[in-house]
Amino acid sequence: MQIAKVRGTVVSTYKTRSLTGTKFLLVQFMDAQGEPIPKYEVAGDLVGAGINEWVLVSRGSAARIDDGMERRPLDALVVGIIDTVTVENNRLYSKKDEQ
């Protein structure tokens, strides 16, 4: 999994039937210092994440392991909303502090 920040939404009116009802988010990956890196990806969202929230993104075949996702053509899936990130006793992110 990777840590990313939700930067926006992606709307696709016409898509394969297996993706009907799937919410898409534009996510930007974060480095180990909590800084955004210039790498973006469109990810399906299972957890209802919102703009500017930090999230856990599962990529590749792992993105299709969750129940009902096996037949969906997804390479990235938001599987969690992050509450806090701490590295070497330094808090990089706290959802509570962002509100």
Side-chain angles (χ1 to χ4, degrees), residues 3 7-8 12 14 18 25 30-31 34 39 42-43 49 52 59-60 64 69-70 73 77-78 82 86 88 94 99:
I3 294 174
R7 293 299 191 178
S12 175
Y14 298 101
S18 65
L25 298 174
M30 308 299 279
D31 68 16
K39 182 173 169 107
V42 175
N52 291 323
R59 299 176 72 202
R64 295 181 292 276
M69 303 306 287
E70 303 88 0
L77 190 63
V78 174
I82 295 173
T86 304
E88 296 178 359
S94 171
Q99 297 174 353

Side-chain angles (χ1 to χ4, degrees), residues 10-85:
V10 177
V11 177
S12 175
T13 304
Y14 298 101
K15 56 190 160 278
T16 183
R17 183 177 295 154
S18 65
L19 292 175
T20 299
T22 302
K23 176 182 170 186
F24 296 109
L25 298 174
L26 181 66
V27 298
Q28 183 177 18
F29 295 104
M30 308 299 279
D31 68 16
Q33 289 75 41
E35 297 297 321
I37 59 175
K39 182 173 169 107
Y40 294 82
E41 188 152 2
V42 175
D45 178 28
L46 289 182
V47 296
I51 304 297
N52 291 323
E53 285 190 298
W54 283 32
V55 294
L56 293 173
V57 178
S58 181
R59 299 176 72 202
S61 60
R64 295 181 292 276
I65 290 177
D66 202 50
D67 289 339
M69 303 306 287
E70 303 88 0
R71 299 185 149 262
R72 294 187 184 195
L74 292 169
D75 289 326
L77 190 63
V78 174
V79 296
I81 299 171
I82 295 173
D83 295 308
T84 61
V85 176

